Amino acid sequence: MTVVLGLALVAGGLVGLSPVTSAAPAVRNLRTGVWSDSSTWSGGKLPLAGEPAAIAAGTTVTVAGSVQAAGVTVEAGGRLAFDPNGSAELTSARNIVVNGTLSMRPASSSVVQAIRFAGVDAARIVGGGMDPVESDVGLWVMGAGQLDLAGTPKTGWTRAAGSVGAGAAEVPLQTAPTGWQARDDVSIAPTANPDGGSDFYKGFDESAVAGSSSGSVRLATPTRRAHPEVNGQWGAEVMNLTRNVRIAGTAAGPAHVFIRSSKPQTVRYTQIRHVSVLKGSATPEGKSGRYGLHFHMMGEASRGSVVEGVVVRDAGSHTFVAHASHGITFRDDISYNNVRDAFWWDPSPNNREPGDPTNDTLIDGSIVAKSLGVPDDNRDYRLSAFNLGMGRNNTIRNSTAVGTGGTAGSAGFGWPEDAGQNIPGNGVWTFNQGNVSHNNHDNGLFVWQNTDTLHDVSNFVSYHNGSYGIEHGAYINSYRYANATLYGNGKAGINTKAKPKPMRPLSFENLIVDGGGSSPHGLVSFDHVAEDDPLPTLFFCTVFKGQTGAAVGLSTGSEHRAPEIMDFVESQLSGAQFSMKSLLSGTRIRVQNGGAAFQLDAAGNRTTISPFVTVRGGCQPGPTTPPGLPGAPSPNPPPTPGPAPGPAPGPTTTQPGRPRPRPPSLRPHRRRPPPRRRPSRRAPPSRRRPHPRPPPSSRGSPPPPPAPPSTASPWSP
């Protein structure tokens, strides 16, 4: 009777009810062998579609052809492997729990290995917690479990070499499309000017590969729109979204990958699709803890984990999550078409406690494209493609954000409020090489922090964003932006809302702020909330040009409570220099170029003054490193050691998992209250967690040192 009920649940599409106490007993293997060989299993009986399977310690079961099960448990010391020489698929109606090893290593690009979760009922997903939940169907890596996933290496993404016209059937590329195969899915990012409509950030061209050469890709269907090269420098990103190791749910029934193991993981050249759950209106997280690829509170155990060449696509929530899991390298990865922040981890519960930071993370040569907001809900407020959260020694370089949706405060790269606590080193990211943010709905970069911690942000490009290249808040902090280009952003290159901390000025050094003939202003400031801070915001060796109005537009907004105090040193302000409207008494704008200097008051009255700083050295506006791209695909490492590999091909089934003991010193997952729509007087809402920094990349050039400090001497009040 128990077995009949299990089969009825599968047939009725209700797999994953929580908890299912009437599940059929697991069919266990007796020896190493092929799944489809009845002698592999106890009693000589293959697992049926409605039965779970269990793989014993010291044995390997090899999947060949197509097999099915109602869940699989790989016991500690056991291995579930896929035949490397022939395409194979395992379909599971319940959890796959790996306490041993899951190995998927196709021998060639023509071999496809897939795990598919079928019949998942998204309405039954519970979320949260530290252990497998029967209703939350997905891949769970627990205990000392390890993923050994290594698809065929390929170039994940590159950029078009020049403009791509509407109707183009072939796209020239900046780097070789190594490993691209006919019928691979590809997408071309938008680059259009943000001059109205939503195509400027939603206008991706999706097609398939018809063929490729060392310098181009041919498309199965021609492009529907133009993707112009911008400013003669920046071509559209071209992404390959197909991999031959695949883990997926379905569009109607999303799965997930949850890792809480005592061992590091290898996930390379793998596609994870139809994952993550975000449901319900006005809820802070939808279903917490069910994300695309989720390292959950592994602490030091995750050190050495490598996630390389991975695509997480068509996801209902976050895609790459390293929550309190240190030392993970994310290299050449793609997040495509997800909801809310893509690279993310849980934030502090209240913006005052340190929460569960992540340390020593490296994000290198990765791209987030089509990270969408949630309509008519506050979950798209301050959405970031890359949410640069709490932790120490975290690095992001050579990475790109494009097509980020959301509303106010959304951006390609975001420094959230909770990561700005005054804990030395907390939330400071190394951000100094090759990052690009463009064609996002709101901002290229967004900061909302009150902190004494010093941040250096340099060598980046931010163009064609709907609002600002940089929107910098909240009230008082110390950031230094250097050697960057901001081009053709919808409202202005820079919007400054923060005031500097007494210990160091807020500064913008060696920037090119080019309106591209479309931005109304280069710099705007109209919303200071901090009061009575006499230190100036410094603009040093910064070029303002190409705007349609004044280079600097200053006015008072609804929350403006402070006078403008700014110094422009060795900076070029083309066209009309200043527009000053209704500014507060005490406003002081000083400008010094060469040996001449002048000062403006709140009414715009100009007074000649003596030079107020001593300048040493020259200017070098713009990035000193080019926009980054992934390196050449690297060969896969040797397989994770385990039991001797099993025999070759044969078809059948899988089974659900069971809880494992949690690692010591880690607290259980916490839910947090929904974010507030508007910031409080102290510090506005934010919703995300930091990422840690990993060991240096084994490929590509090392990151450059931070740009040198300003050559201007301290400025007088």
Side-chain angles (χ1 to χ4, degrees):
M1 194 63 175
T2 299
V3 175
V4 172
L5 176 57
L7 290 172
L9 288 171
V10 172
L14 298 175
V15 192
L17 300 181
S18 172
V20 179
T21 56
S22 56
V27 179
R28 299 178 59 82
N29 72 313
L30 294 175
R31 64 177 183 85
T32 290
V34 178
W35 185 298
S36 56
D37 182 351
S38 60
S39 67
T40 301
W41 301 97
S42 175
K45 174 183 175 296
L46 298 176
L48 300 175
E51 296 174 322
I55 297 172
T59 67
T60 296
V61 173
T62 301
V63 175
S66 295
V67 301
Q68 300 180 52
V72 180
T73 296
V74 183
E75 297 177 355
R79 178 183 291 262
L80 175 62
F82 281 63
D83 173 27
N85 299 311
S87 294
E89 179 173 294
L90 166 60
T91 300
S92 179
R94 293 185 182 166
N95 287 323
I96 296 177
V97 180
V98 178
N99 299 295
T101 302
L102 171 63
S103 183
M104 303 173 75
R105 287 178 161 263
S108 70
S109 59
S110 62
V111 174
V112 176
Q113 300 180 350
I115 290 176
R116 301 193 185 279
F117 293 94
V120 179
D121 186 351
R124 298 285 185 172
I125 293 176
V126 175
M130 303 283 278
D131 298 302
V133 178
E134 187 71 21
S135 60
D136 297 11
V137 176
L139 175 60
W140 304 77
V141 184
M142 309 298 292
Q146 284 190 288
L147 296 179
D148 180 30
L149 310 183
T152 303
K154 63 168 42 175
T155 300
W157 62 281
T158 181
R159 289 190 176 93
S163 294
V164 179
E170 186 168 4
V171 178
L173 302 174
Q174 292 185 17
T175 57
T178 303
W180 291 25
Q181 303 287 315
R183 296 183 295 281
D184 282 359
D185 292 337
V186 291
S187 180
I188 305 172
T191 57
N193 193 304
D195 55 1
S198 61
D199 249 17
F200 86 90
Y201 77 98
K202 290 184 176 179
F204 289 81
D205 255 310
E206 297 177 351
S207 185
V209 173
S212 64
S213 67
S214 61
S216 68
V217 59
R218 296 188 305 279
L219 305 177
T221 55
T223 56
R224 293 172 297 149
R225 55 180 62 82
H227 302 262
E229 183 179 64
V230 177
N231 198 27
Q233 301 179 61
W234 310 305
E237 290 76 21
V238 183
M239 296 157 276
N240 187 309
L241 306 177
T242 298
R243 303 292 182 269
N244 65 336
V245 168
R246 301 171 187 173
I247 298 170
T250 64
H256 63 94
V257 180
F258 181 100
I259 305 170
R260 191 172 65 82
S261 167
S262 60
K263 297 235 180 128
Q265 308 295 314
T266 299
V267 186
R268 303 180 83 247
Y269 303 103
T270 296
Q271 174 186 285
I272 301 173
R273 188 174 189 185
H274 297 311
V275 286
S276 306
V277 177
L278 180 72
K279 48 177 289 200
S281 163
T283 59
E285 289 298 333
K287 295 300 181 181
S288 173
R290 303 295 174 257
Y291 311 132
L293 181 61
H294 181 192
F295 292 82
H296 184 65
M297 303 189 80
M298 289 176 64
E300 297 298 316
S302 55
R303 286 195 182 277
S305 294
V306 175
V307 179
E308 181 172 3
V310 172
V311 176
V312 181
R313 61 179 294 197
D314 305 320
S317 185
H318 311 296
T319 49
F320 294 91
V321 177
H323 177 199
S325 299
H326 311 312
I328 301 173
T329 295
F330 296 94
R331 183 183 294 124
D332 303 356
D333 297 318
I334 299 175
S335 172
Y336 187 80
N337 190 36
N338 82 293
V339 176
R340 300 194 56 224
D341 314 67
F343 282 79
W344 172 95
W345 52 79
D346 303 57
S348 164
N350 56 22
N351 297 325
R352 293 182 298 278
E353 298 176 28
D356 301 309
T358 300
N359 304 325
D360 302 312
T361 301
L362 173 65
I363 303 172
D364 186 11
S366 295
I367 184 170
V368 175
K370 288 182 74 172
S371 194
L372 306 174
V374 182
D376 304 318
D377 190 9
N378 65 5
R379 284 172 293 181
D380 62 359
Y381 179 54
R382 297 197 183 155
L383 181 157
S384 298
F386 294 95
N387 186 290
L388 306 181
M390 298 180 301
R392 292 175 173 81
N393 301 320
N394 296 314
T395 296
I396 184 166
R397 65 189 185 213
N398 300 322
S399 295
T400 292
V402 55
T404 309
T407 55
S410 295
F413 297 93
W415 284 257
E417 178 185 355
D418 69 277
Q421 303 148 350
N422 285 317
I423 302 170
N426 184 50
V428 176
W429 284 69
T430 299
F431 188 106
N432 64 2
Q433 179 182 343
N435 294 313
V436 177
S437 189
H438 73 94
N439 289 83
N440 299 298
H441 176 269
D442 210 42
N443 302 308
L445 281 65
F446 177 79
V447 171
W448 197 271
Q449 295 186 349
N450 292 308
T451 179
D452 291 330
T453 303
L454 308 181
H455 293 254
D456 282 293
V457 181
S458 63
N459 283 308
F460 62 93
V461 173
S462 182
Y463 72 87
H464 281 183
N465 298 290
S467 293
Y468 307 105
I470 300 170
E471 183 172 8
H472 184 84
Y475 307 137
I476 302 178
N477 58 41
S478 293
Y479 269 70
R480 173 177 170 269
Y481 297 94
N483 296 101
T485 296
L486 314 177
Y487 182 89
N489 294 288
K491 296 180 179 177
I494 304 169
N495 181 2
T496 58
K497 296 183 175 182
K499 301 284 275 184
K501 278 280 189 180
M503 61 191 303
R504 180 179 115 164
L506 167 62
S507 65
F508 299 82
E509 306 174 22
N510 284 298
L511 268 60
I512 297 173
V513 185
D514 188 342
S518 59
S519 302
H521 301 286
L523 163 69
V524 297
S525 181
F526 53 82
D527 205 16
H528 289 312
V529 176
E531 302 173 4
D532 301 328
D533 186 340
L535 284 177
T537 298
L538 172 67
F539 297 86
F540 176 71
C541 286
T542 291
V543 176
F544 295 92
K545 64 180 183 179
Q547 68 279 346
T548 60
V552 179
L554 307 178
S555 60
T556 53
S558 59
E559 294 186 299
H560 204 96
R561 299 191 181 110
E564 297 290 355
I565 301 178
M566 296 179 174
D567 286 345
F568 295 83
V569 176
E570 300 302 327
S571 294
Q572 302 173 31
L573 287 78
S574 301
Q577 292 187 331
F578 294 94
S579 170
M580 305 173 69
K581 298 178 181 178
S582 307
L583 299 181
L584 301 179
S585 176
T587 290
R588 189 204 68 195
I589 310 298
R590 298 189 300 188
V591 179
Q592 175 180 321
N593 284 305
F598 66 87
Q599 179 173 306
L600 302 175
D601 63 15
N605 297 313
R606 175 170 172 158
T607 305
T608 299
I609 59 173
S610 299
F612 49 92
V613 294
T614 300
V615 177
R616 299 178 297 277
C619 297
Q620 189 181 3
T624 60
T625 62
L629 283 170
S634 60
N636 285 319
T640 302
T652 297
T653 352
T654 34
Q655 184 255 357
R658 59 172 191 262
R660 303 296 300 175
R662 68 188 59 184
S665 308
L666 293 180
R667 289 169 284 170
H669 191 282
R670 290 190 300 260
R671 297 182 184 276
R672 54 179 209 288
R676 295 162 288 162
R677 171 66 68 173
R678 288 195 55 82
S680 69
R681 174 68 178 84
R682 296 182 44 150
S686 145
R687 309 169 282 88
R688 301 150 274 226
R689 247 180 215 223
H691 289 356
R693 178 192 80 183
S697 169
S698 60
R699 296 187 289 109
S701 58
S710 166
T711 54
S713 68
W715 24 91
S716 313

